[in-house]
Amino acid sequence: MWTTPACEVAAPSDPLGETLHLLRLTGTLYCRAELTAPWGVAVPALPGCMTLQVVTAGRCWLEADGVEPRLVGPGSLTLIPHGIPHRFRSDPQASTEPLFSIPVQRLSERYEIMRYGGGGELTQVTYAVLRLDHVAAQRMVAQLPTVLHLDRFDDETGWLHSTLRFVAREAQALRPGGETMLTRLADVLVIQTIRAWLDAAPEARQGWLAALRDPQIGQALTALHRTPERDWSVIDLAREAGLSRSAFAARFTALVGEPVMRYVAAWRLQLAHDHLGRTDEPLPVVARRFGYQSEAAFCRAFKRAYGVPPGRLRREPVPDRRRADRG
């Protein structure tokens, strides 16, 4: 499985930056598409995934439900963070073919080349399907809008243009190490796209993201996220925030939208749920890892939250997180 850790984007004293550092992505599919007009590709729902599309030559129309169709030109990227169905077309009237019905040339388990269309004007797209591998990252991505788009004309610092040049070069001629390079570049593009949205969007100043930005509450959240196994109390977290117990509890609830200890319990169980699907650790070890003094207490809390005991969850088949199913 290709799991690529996010690059350092901020010092540990920056709670929002530290959460971005947890944005670990697993690439399940990378595709270089050479599309000649007329053409249309319909991407199905991909639950639990985000998709990244980089137009390296030509142009195309992007459509998704609830979003105005957009003409996407060379040097542009689109991030669809919630795995919703969407469509790319050479023009708004072109018919579409389901993504996984189009023949491809497989270069490896996860990298492929698609050549498709009617022989007219060429559009080249590099496409990535990515999974998130940390609960904090999943919670952050849940706050994102349906579609994020960055254009080279909005790139004041030049990072987008430079990175896309690398993407185009690596996708055009897959050299030794090229697959690894593309996975790293995809990570950089996703992180930078989210950072750009966090810096500019009013919605990024609300709810859980606002709590991470808050000088006091953000520090408490960071401490909890780093050490979920600690026997946290409201007083302990208030101390991390540098606030009185009552002031901290009120401010936490106002920003996060739920009381402190409810958040602590939910956070631990989310981490445990994710961990159970990835490891064979014995339940007592998992219980201690996420702050429970006994296996029995952990099992009761888990069943209340998810409706099944953790042992049953582990006995059920776990979906293969390593690849997108092409059929």
Side-chain angles (χ1 to χ4, degrees):
M1 179 168 61
W2 288 352
T3 301
T4 51
C7 58
E8 287 282 359
V9 295
S13 59
D14 172 11
L16 188 58
E18 185 158 325
T19 304
L20 268 173
H21 180 63
L22 298 174
L23 192 64
R24 294 191 291 271
L25 302 167
T26 300
T28 63
L29 174 67
Y30 296 86
C31 177
R32 187 182 91 205
E34 300 174 0
L35 306 160
T36 55
W39 60 268
V41 178
V43 182
L46 298 168
C49 295
M50 60 169 56
T51 58
L52 177 72
Q53 303 85 34
V54 177
V55 178
T56 54
R59 61 191 68 248
C60 60
W61 287 89
L62 165 67
E63 304 168 359
D65 293 345
V67 179
E68 284 290 321
R70 177 190 288 268
L71 181 61
V72 182
S76 299
L77 70 86
T78 303
L79 180 66
I80 299 181
H82 308 303
I84 63 169
H86 54 282
R87 297 162 298 283
F88 285 93
R89 307 176 195 257
S90 55
D91 65 80
Q93 287 72 48
S95 61
T96 61
E97 185 74 13
L99 172 65
F100 295 138
S101 297
I102 300 173
V104 296
Q105 176 188 353
R106 290 264 188 162
L107 300 184
S108 71
E109 183 182 7
R110 292 177 182 81
Y111 191 85
E112 60 192 34
I113 297 176
M114 175 191 296
R115 296 181 178 93
Y116 174 67
E121 182 181 358
L122 174 67
T123 297
Q124 293 180 323
V125 179
T126 297
Y127 193 88
V129 180
L130 308 157
R131 286 188 184 275
L132 294 163
D133 281 342
H134 196 280
V135 170
Q138 293 165 7
R139 185 152 186 165
M140 173 178 282
V141 169
Q143 316 292 309
L144 298 178
T146 303
V147 174
L148 288 170
H149 181 79
L150 285 181
D151 192 280
R152 60 178 177 172
F153 299 111
D154 301 325
D155 181 19
E156 296 179 356
T157 62
W159 72 264
L160 177 60
H161 179 67
S162 299
T163 308
L164 292 185
R165 284 177 57 201
F166 278 112
V167 170
R169 185 181 305 167
E170 293 297 333
Q172 190 64 38
L174 196 60
R175 299 173 293 176
E179 284 188 54
T180 301
M181 180 68 76
L182 280 173
T183 66
R184 301 300 193 271
L185 291 172
D187 286 356
V188 170
L189 289 172
V190 169
I191 293 165
Q192 292 283 45
T193 303
I194 293 174
R195 288 178 70 187
W197 180 81
L198 289 170
D199 288 341
E203 311 93 279
R205 308 285 172 172
Q206 302 170 6
W208 186 71
L209 291 173
L212 285 173
R213 292 177 186 272
D214 184 86
Q216 284 82 37
I217 304 303
Q219 292 302 320
L221 284 171
T222 297
L224 167 63
H225 294 168
R226 286 176 178 171
T227 56
E229 73 283 358
R230 181 174 163 182
D231 186 18
W232 288 107
S233 68
V234 178
I235 293 175
D236 293 331
L237 288 167
R239 190 176 294 118
E240 294 285 341
L243 294 171
S244 70
R245 182 187 187 283
S246 58
F248 170 74
R251 186 166 183 78
F252 188 99
T253 301
L255 287 172
V256 179
E258 61 182 318
V260 180
M261 297 313 295
R262 184 185 300 171
Y263 179 90
V264 171
W267 180 257
R268 286 171 170 163
L269 290 171
Q270 283 180 292
L271 290 172
H273 186 280
D274 188 64
H275 193 75
L276 285 167
R278 299 172 184 279
T279 75
D280 295 322
E281 276 189 352
L283 289 181
V285 176
V286 176
R288 289 193 299 272
R289 178 184 294 277
F290 297 108
Y292 288 88
Q293 299 304 310
S294 71
E295 180 184 355
F298 169 63
C299 290
R300 287 194 299 270
F302 193 94
K303 186 173 182 179
R304 282 197 303 270
Y306 294 104
V308 295
R312 182 183 301 176
L313 176 75
R314 178 163 277 172
R315 288 193 296 271
E316 292 174 354
V318 178
D320 187 349
R321 303 173 70 94
R322 295 175 299 173
R323 62 183 297 169
D325 182 7
R326 287 196 62 94

